[in-house]
Amino acid sequence: MAAPYRTIRDIVEHEIEIRRSRFICALAPAATEEAARGFVAERRRLYADATHNCSAYVVGEGVRRADDDGEPGGTAGTPMLEMLTRRGFADVAAVVTRYFGGVLLGAGGLARAYGGAVGETLDRAEVVEMVPAAVVTVSVGHAQAGRLESDLRASPYALRGVDYGARVAFEVAVAEDRLPVFEEWIAAVTAGRARTALGGTVHLAR
């Protein structure tokens, strides 16, 4: 069963300084690995003169990547990734740009700096709670379709698409904990003439 998670609404940036080294963290929403890779590449171009541009991202339930970009193994990308996952975030890419200040921090100091930069930036982000939702196909006759589409667009339920065939099928995403209420609502607005079928699972912003 899909689990809820947290993501962020917009790009956010925050800078910290530790023993004269600058750590500039940027976070971005990333619903696909392609988007995450693109954000990492963009930050590396923007700060091409930096000592390091370390990155980590979590996409969906299975994609987790970390890159130390020349820092000692496990001291940058891994603590960044751990900060994201420990705090329940997904569909987020993080890049921490470091300008070396001349003082070595040691492995523990680096891990605290990179993980801390991500943590402080998450504290400044607008967080979006994402909950599991079922994709429900609702089909009605053409005579009812216009009214149902209008009702769906005015409702709190997420209309994802409409398919006009022998009957008109509406694809709707419904939070799993609201499925019984949705079924009752559909029965009421269509006078019991709609057919419903459960499909896959997606996530919706709460």
Side-chain angles (χ1 to χ4, degrees):
M1 183 176 176
Y5 66 89
R6 311 169 85 199
T7 190
I8 61 175
R9 191 171 302 280
D10 298 301
I11 294 174
V12 60
E13 185 173 317
H14 174 61
E15 179 175 337
I16 63 175
E17 183 173 321
I18 299 175
R19 300 182 72 179
R20 298 202 299 271
S21 278
R22 294 171 61 206
F23 294 86
I24 306 164
C25 178
L27 306 176
T32 65
E33 187 167 11
E34 181 182 13
R37 289 180 180 275
F39 180 69
V40 172
E42 176 187 332
R43 297 295 293 185
R44 286 180 171 169
R45 285 193 298 270
L46 184 61
Y47 291 103
D49 63 333
T51 316
H52 305 280
N53 283 291
C54 304
S55 61
Y57 56 82
V58 181
V59 178
E61 297 181 359
V63 179
R64 288 166 169 74
R65 301 281 186 270
D67 183 3
D68 295 313
D69 193 37
E71 291 282 30
T75 63
T78 297
M80 291 167 62
L81 183 62
E82 287 175 349
M83 181 63 69
L84 291 173
T85 57
R86 187 167 70 245
R87 291 181 55 173
F89 282 86
D91 293 350
V92 176
V95 180
V96 176
T97 297
R98 182 188 184 191
Y99 285 92
F100 180 55
V103 179
L104 296 174
L105 301 183
L110 284 173
R112 286 189 294 274
Y114 280 100
V118 172
E120 288 192 22
T121 308
L122 285 172
D123 290 340
R124 289 159 172 78
E126 184 178 354
V127 177
V128 181
E129 302 289 342
M130 304 294 290
V131 297
V135 177
V136 183
T137 300
V138 181
S139 62
V140 295
H142 285 262
Q144 284 188 290
R147 172 64 185 276
L148 179 55
E149 182 169 356
S150 177
D151 286 343
L152 282 167
R153 293 193 184 280
S155 78
Y157 305 109
L159 179 60
R160 292 162 53 91
V162 185
D163 180 40
Y164 290 88
R167 288 169 64 86
V168 182
F170 298 90
E171 187 178 271
V172 187
V174 183
E176 289 179 348
D177 60 0
R178 299 198 66 186
L179 275 172
V181 175
F182 176 74
E183 294 278 2
E184 291 176 6
W185 180 79
I186 284 292
V189 298
T190 65
R193 285 178 284 183
R195 301 174 191 163
T196 60
L198 285 177
T201 300
V202 294
H203 281 83
L204 287 176
R206 174 70 83 185

Short mmCIF file of all heavy atoms in Angstrom, two decimals, residues 71-76 79 98 104-115:
data_model
loop_
_atom_site.label_atom_id
_atom_site.label_comp_id
_atom_site.label_asym_id
_atom_site.label_seq_id
_atom_site.Cartn_x
_atom_site.Cartn_y
_atom_site.Cartn_z
N GLU A 71 34.14 15.31 -2.69
CA GLU A 71 34.36 15.28 -1.25
C GLU A 71 34.65 13.82 -0.84
O GLU A 71 34.30 12.89 -1.58
CB GLU A 71 33.11 15.78 -0.50
CG GLU A 71 32.81 17.26 -0.66
CD GLU A 71 33.68 18.16 0.21
OE1 GLU A 71 34.84 17.79 0.50
OE2 GLU A 71 33.19 19.26 0.58
N PRO A 72 35.29 13.60 0.32
CA PRO A 72 35.55 12.21 0.74
C PRO A 72 34.26 11.39 0.74
O PRO A 72 33.18 11.89 1.11
CB PRO A 72 36.11 12.38 2.16
CG PRO A 72 36.73 13.75 2.14
CD PRO A 72 35.85 14.58 1.25
N GLY A 73 34.36 10.14 0.31
CA GLY A 73 33.19 9.28 0.12
C GLY A 73 32.27 9.23 1.34
O GLY A 73 32.73 8.99 2.47
N GLY A 74 31.00 9.48 1.12
CA GLY A 74 30.01 9.38 2.18
C GLY A 74 29.89 10.59 3.08
O GLY A 74 29.11 10.57 4.03
N THR A 75 30.62 11.67 2.80
CA THR A 75 30.60 12.83 3.70
C THR A 75 29.68 13.95 3.22
O THR A 75 29.47 14.92 3.95
CB THR A 75 32.02 13.44 3.86
OG1 THR A 75 32.46 13.92 2.58
CG2 THR A 75 32.99 12.41 4.39
N ALA A 76 29.12 13.83 2.02
CA ALA A 76 28.31 14.94 1.48
C ALA A 76 26.96 14.45 0.98
O ALA A 76 25.92 14.69 1.59
CB ALA A 76 29.08 15.65 0.37
N PRO A 79 24.85 12.12 3.67
CA PRO A 79 24.13 12.82 4.73
C PRO A 79 23.01 13.73 4.20
O PRO A 79 22.00 13.93 4.87
CB PRO A 79 25.20 13.62 5.47
CG PRO A 79 26.39 13.61 4.59
CD PRO A 79 26.30 12.38 3.75
N ARG A 98 29.68 24.17 -2.30
CA ARG A 98 30.65 24.56 -1.28
C ARG A 98 31.77 25.39 -1.90
O ARG A 98 32.35 25.00 -2.92
CB ARG A 98 31.26 23.34 -0.59
CG ARG A 98 32.26 23.73 0.52
CD ARG A 98 33.00 22.53 1.06
NE ARG A 98 33.88 22.91 2.16
CZ ARG A 98 34.81 22.13 2.71
NH1 ARG A 98 34.96 20.90 2.25
NH2 ARG A 98 35.56 22.55 3.70
N LEU A 104 40.11 22.68 7.03
CA LEU A 104 39.56 21.33 6.86
C LEU A 104 38.56 21.03 7.97
O LEU A 104 38.79 21.34 9.14
CB LEU A 104 40.69 20.30 6.87
CG LEU A 104 41.71 20.39 5.72
CD1 LEU A 104 42.85 19.40 5.93
CD2 LEU A 104 41.03 20.11 4.39
N LEU A 105 37.46 20.40 7.62
CA LEU A 105 36.40 20.12 8.59
C LEU A 105 36.42 18.69 9.09
O LEU A 105 35.77 18.39 10.09
CB LEU A 105 35.03 20.42 7.96
CG LEU A 105 34.79 21.85 7.46
CD1 LEU A 105 33.37 21.99 6.93
CD2 LEU A 105 35.05 22.86 8.56
N GLY A 106 37.12 17.81 8.42
CA GLY A 106 37.11 16.40 8.81
C GLY A 106 35.82 15.73 8.34
O GLY A 106 34.84 16.40 8.00
N ALA A 107 35.83 14.40 8.34
CA ALA A 107 34.68 13.66 7.81
C ALA A 107 33.40 13.98 8.58
O ALA A 107 32.35 14.24 7.99
CB ALA A 107 34.97 12.15 7.86
N GLY A 108 33.48 13.96 9.91
CA GLY A 108 32.29 14.25 10.71
C GLY A 108 31.79 15.66 10.50
O GLY A 108 30.58 15.90 10.41
N GLY A 109 32.71 16.61 10.42
CA GLY A 109 32.33 18.00 10.22
C GLY A 109 31.68 18.22 8.86
O GLY A 109 30.70 18.97 8.75
N LEU A 110 32.21 17.55 7.84
CA LEU A 110 31.61 17.66 6.51
C LEU A 110 30.20 17.09 6.50
O LEU A 110 29.27 17.70 5.96
CB LEU A 110 32.47 16.93 5.48
CG LEU A 110 33.75 17.63 5.04
CD1 LEU A 110 34.57 16.69 4.15
CD2 LEU A 110 33.45 18.92 4.31
N ALA A 111 30.03 15.90 7.08
CA ALA A 111 28.70 15.27 7.10
C ALA A 111 27.69 16.16 7.82
O ALA A 111 26.55 16.33 7.36
CB ALA A 111 28.78 13.90 7.77
N ARG A 112 28.10 16.75 8.94
CA ARG A 112 27.20 17.64 9.68
C ARG A 112 26.88 18.89 8.87
O ARG A 112 25.74 19.38 8.86
CB ARG A 112 27.81 18.02 11.03
CG ARG A 112 27.77 16.89 12.05
CD ARG A 112 28.17 17.38 13.43
NE ARG A 112 29.57 17.81 13.47
CZ ARG A 112 30.61 17.01 13.70
NH1 ARG A 112 30.40 15.71 13.89
NH2 ARG A 112 31.83 17.47 13.74
N ALA A 113 27.88 19.41 8.16
CA ALA A 113 27.67 20.63 7.37
C ALA A 113 26.72 20.38 6.21
O ALA A 113 25.77 21.15 6.00
CB ALA A 113 29.01 21.14 6.86
N TYR A 114 26.95 19.32 5.45
CA TYR A 114 26.10 19.05 4.29
C TYR A 114 24.69 18.65 4.71
O TYR A 114 23.69 19.14 4.16
CB TYR A 114 26.72 17.98 3.40
CG TYR A 114 27.82 18.52 2.51
CD1 TYR A 114 29.16 18.36 2.82
CD2 TYR A 114 27.50 19.21 1.34
CE1 TYR A 114 30.16 18.87 2.01
CE2 TYR A 114 28.49 19.72 0.51
CZ TYR A 114 29.82 19.55 0.86
OH TYR A 114 30.80 20.06 0.04
N GLY A 115 24.58 17.75 5.68
CA GLY A 115 23.25 17.36 6.16
C GLY A 115 22.53 18.53 6.81
O GLY A 115 21.33 18.73 6.60
#
